Amino acid sequence: MTIADNLHQVQQQIEDASKKASRTANSVTLLAVSKAQEINKIEQLYQAGQKLFGESYLSEAIDKITALQHLDIEWHFIGPIQSNKTRDIASHFSWVQSVDREKIAKRLNDQRPDDRPALQVLAQVNLFAEASKQGSDAASIENLLSFISDQPNLTLRGIMSIPPATADHGQQREQFAKIAEVYQQMRMQFPSIDTLSIGMSGDMIAAIEQGSTMVRVGTALFGERPANWKQKLKAN
Ligand SMILES: *Cc1c(COP(=O)(O)O)cnc(C)c1O
């Protein structure tokens, strides 16, 4: 299968899952997660029609963004954010999906270059108390959203979450239902938000059933990331 075949297959799966959930296919946006994948594969996917790409590791991301600046790609930052990295994130990305605390939101706001439109922001929530993952808990999410929405150079778009990995469809559904409930509550407080970013290669069908508006898909589009990719990325 070529990369273009993978894209068409994932698009078909999104369409089928949307129909099953009585939703229109275009209510779910596909973000291609290209971390640890080669630049020429990103280009192939772009030529096949994919415009939104997500990256998690900043130095790798900046190399790719620079190499591909002739393409009309919308870049999303989806990885953990250290405060000394906010300036580069604010200047290279259109969206940041992993804002988990006010300090980071404030720095991204203050460091967004004047000549770029407002940074599109999702707050990352972690409802399952997983220490290995960033994210605001349910009790603090409303304050975080409120803080983000007060920043002039940020546009609050919604929430992102990565629940515990499981192959069990019922458990995936339960976890996503819990996140979707928080999203719906927040939508009552912040009516302009429109993005619930949940679902990856292994669980995007359950996420779409539960109301995802954006799935973040890597492996199903690009194939497996290379062995020991984490060590390689951390080394640079
Ligand atoms: C890597 C990653 C994905 C994509 O995961 P796949 O299983 O390859 O689809 C999605 N979201 C985040 C935040 C990631 O880091």
Side-chain angles (χ1 to χ4, degrees):
M1 293 241 296
T2 66
I3 293 241
D5 293 334
N6 293 346
L7 178 62
H8 297 141
Q9 187 173 41
V10 168
Q11 285 169 334
Q12 189 62 51
Q13 286 166 348
I14 291 173
E15 194 179 319
D16 292 346
S18 302
K19 261 198 202 128
K20 239 180 109 183
S22 308
R23 306 177 53 191
T24 54
N26 62 10
S27 64
V28 182
T29 301
L30 173 61
L31 179 74
V33 177
S34 46
K35 66 170 186 247
Q37 303 286 1
E38 289 165 19
I39 287 184
N40 78 66
K41 287 191 173 178
I42 300 177
E43 276 178 311
Q44 286 173 45
L45 203 55
Y46 178 87
Q47 298 309 342
Q50 177 65 29
K51 294 277 160 67
L52 276 55
F53 288 85
E55 289 282 340
S56 319
Y57 295 90
L58 189 60
S59 65
E60 180 197 18
I62 290 176
D63 290 347
K64 289 174 172 172
I65 292 170
T66 307
L68 295 171
Q69 52 188 323
H70 55 291
L71 304 181
D72 177 29
I73 291 179
E74 182 181 278
W75 292 100
H76 292 225
F77 191 77
I78 61 174
I81 305 178
Q82 294 162 312
S83 51
N84 63 350
K85 301 288 170 62
T86 50
R87 184 175 299 281
D88 274 335
I89 294 173
S91 53
H92 286 89
F93 288 83
S94 298
W95 283 62
V96 179
Q97 300 204 1
S98 43
V99 175
D100 62 345
R101 54 201 192 276
E102 291 179 9
K103 179 183 176 190
I104 295 298
K106 177 83 176 98
R107 291 176 66 93
L108 290 171
N109 176 74
D110 294 350
Q111 295 169 341
R112 181 66 168 171
D114 290 338
D115 60 347
R116 298 209 58 181
L119 189 60
Q120 308 298 300
V121 169
L122 303 181
Q124 183 170 351
V125 284
N126 177 355
L127 302 181
F128 305 93
E130 279 188 293
S132 63
K133 282 177 193 143
Q134 334 307 119
S136 164
D137 60 19
S140 348
I141 190 68
E142 186 174 343
N143 283 340
L144 179 58
L145 293 193
S146 169
F147 186 86
I148 294 168
S149 67
D150 285 343
Q151 306 303 310
N153 299 325
L154 306 181
T155 300
L156 174 68
R157 296 296 295 270
I159 66 178
M160 183 274 261
S161 193
I162 315 168
T166 166
D168 184 281
H169 191 85
Q171 200 179 330
Q172 292 175 356
R173 198 185 299 161
E174 255 172 54
Q175 294 179 159
F176 286 135
K178 198 167 156 189
I179 299 163
E181 194 183 311
V182 169
Y183 174 67
Q184 293 305 345
Q185 284 163 5
M186 290 305 117
R187 243 168 61 142
M188 292 196 266
Q189 316 282 337
F190 306 94
S192 66
I193 67 176
D194 59 4
T195 305
L196 174 58
S197 172
I198 48 173
M200 323 204 294
S201 298
D203 57 15
M204 66 168 204
I205 305 296
I208 292 169
E209 279 175 14
Q210 299 306 315
S212 170
T213 72
M214 188 181 289
V215 289
R216 308 178 310 271
V217 178
T219 312
L221 292 170
F222 291 101
E224 294 289 341
R225 288 177 281 277
N228 67 12
W229 62 275
K230 272 191 187 164
Q231 289 90 317
K232 279 191 198 150
L233 286 179
K234 279 189 185 139
N236 69 34

